């Protein structure tokens, strides 16, 4: 595809698809050019650099998170929807978590999300730094997305394949060794006896933790303003 027929939006969309499939390690201007049937130089002309392209891709995926209307839903519902949407987005794009530690990713997409998050907690009655402490919810969601994201990332599969044998064989061997280690500890052994993978979280663990965290925030708000009635 010639340079003058490419658009930045096409390049960013193709980059997201490539990142979702192959991770940060698999993204290169040459690989992206092949996907777009274009020269790498044409891609560079539109986005400037690989780092800038990753920033543009990150900005785009943040916009996938729907922002609940605070005129329609209460703050607890809004907070739950935003946290769940963030979790879904991070698992769909596991490269973004890896990019947090390697790139500077300030963007209007993330700012849009963060600003509405503050609006949610301000609607609940948190003010100033109290609303900023809602970052604890973001940290919780990020931590819960790390495991699924690491499992989904293609770079791990390629690394295992390069070391000899298939990635599936390596993963099975790893789990067997982990189970042997777990057998030395009674609580982990009991967990392993009940589940095929003792490290796997029980169903609805994310939802349980999120509600517990929001319950704690609501309890603090009630303690500060006992005269206020908090929406359920």
């Amino acid at each position: 595809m010639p340079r003058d027929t490419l658009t930045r939006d096409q390049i960013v969309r193709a980059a997201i698809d490539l990142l979702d499939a192959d991770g940060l390690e698999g993204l290169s201007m040459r690989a992206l050019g092949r996907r777009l049937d274009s020269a790498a130089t044409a891609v560079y002309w539109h986005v400037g650099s690989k780092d800038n392209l990753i920033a543009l891709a990150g900005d785009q995926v943040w916009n996938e998170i729907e922002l609940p209307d605070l005129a329609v839903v209460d703050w607890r519902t809004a907070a739950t929807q935003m946290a769940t949407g963030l979790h879904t987005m991070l698992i769909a794009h596991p490269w973004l978590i890896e990019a947090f530690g390697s790139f500077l990713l300030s963007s209007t997409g993330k700012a849009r999300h963060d600003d509405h998050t503050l609006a949610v907690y301000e609607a609940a009655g948190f003010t100033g730094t109290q609303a900023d402490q809602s970052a604890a919810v973001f940290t919780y969601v990020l931590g819960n997305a790390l495991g699924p994201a690491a499992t989904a990332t293609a770079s791990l599969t390629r690394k295992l394949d390069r070391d000899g044998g298939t990635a599936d064989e390596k993963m099975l061997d790893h789990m067997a060794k982990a189970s042997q280690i777990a057998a030395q500890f009674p609580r982990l052994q009991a967990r392993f006896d009940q589940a095929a993978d003792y490290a796997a979280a029980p169903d609805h663990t994310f939802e349980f933790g999120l509600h517990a965290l929001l319950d704690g925030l609501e309890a603090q708000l009630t303690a500060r303003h006992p005269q206020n009635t908090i929406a359920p």
Side-chain angles (χ1 to χ4, degrees):
M1 187 179 296
R3 184 176 72 184
D4 59 357
T5 61
L6 274 177
T7 66
R8 175 177 283 194
D9 184 65
Q10 288 174 321
I11 293 170
V12 171
R13 187 68 258 170
I16 292 171
D17 291 342
L18 184 57
L19 285 162
D20 289 346
D22 295 337
L24 288 176
E25 185 182 281
L27 177 67
S28 70
M29 295 303 195
R30 183 171 297 178
L32 188 56
R34 287 195 298 268
R35 183 174 281 253
L36 290 165
D37 192 25
S38 179
T41 52
V43 178
Y44 274 113
W45 189 85
H46 282 279
V47 299
S49 68
K50 178 179 174 179
D51 285 8
N52 190 52
L53 177 58
I54 291 171
L56 291 169
D59 182 56
Q60 184 72 20
V61 299
W62 275 104
N63 286 310
E64 294 177 6
I65 301 173
E66 293 186 16
L67 305 184
D69 185 350
L70 291 171
V72 176
V73 299
D74 62 86
W75 79 271
R76 278 290 299 259
T77 300
T80 301
Q81 289 176 354
M82 289 197 69
T84 303
L86 173 62
H87 189 255
T88 299
M89 185 273 284
L90 291 172
I91 291 176
H93 307 292
W95 52 270
L96 185 61
I97 295 178
E98 185 181 354
F100 286 154
S102 306
F103 298 89
L104 298 174
L105 297 178
S106 298
S107 72
T108 55
K110 185 176 186 302
R112 162 187 169 273
H113 170 272
D114 293 348
D115 184 76
H116 200 71
T117 298
L118 289 172
V120 168
Y121 290 96
E122 287 175 359
F126 292 101
T127 58
T129 57
Q130 296 172 3
D132 291 336
Q133 290 168 351
S134 64
V137 176
F138 174 84
T139 303
Y140 170 77
V141 175
L142 180 62
N144 270 267
L146 283 173
T151 302
T153 185
S155 58
L156 175 61
T157 300
R158 284 197 299 273
K159 182 179 184 302
L160 293 175
D161 284 338
R162 284 198 302 267
D163 293 338
T166 67
D168 288 342
E169 290 170 345
K170 290 290 184 63
M171 191 62 70
L172 287 173
D173 183 58
H174 168 77
M175 293 310 302
K177 290 178 180 177
S179 298
Q180 291 174 359
I181 294 171
Q184 302 174 47
F185 301 92
R187 293 174 184 81
L188 293 183
Q189 178 61 51
R191 177 75 177 89
F192 180 73
D193 289 342
Q194 296 171 7
D197 177 6
Y198 82 85
D203 292 342
H204 308 299
T205 294
F206 171 75
E207 293 83 357
F208 173 84
L210 176 60
H211 286 305
L213 184 55
L214 293 176
D215 283 345
L217 288 172
E218 186 170 333
Q220 289 191 26
L221 190 61
T222 303
R224 292 184 185 121
H225 308 286
Q227 73 280 8
N228 291 345
T229 301
I230 309 301

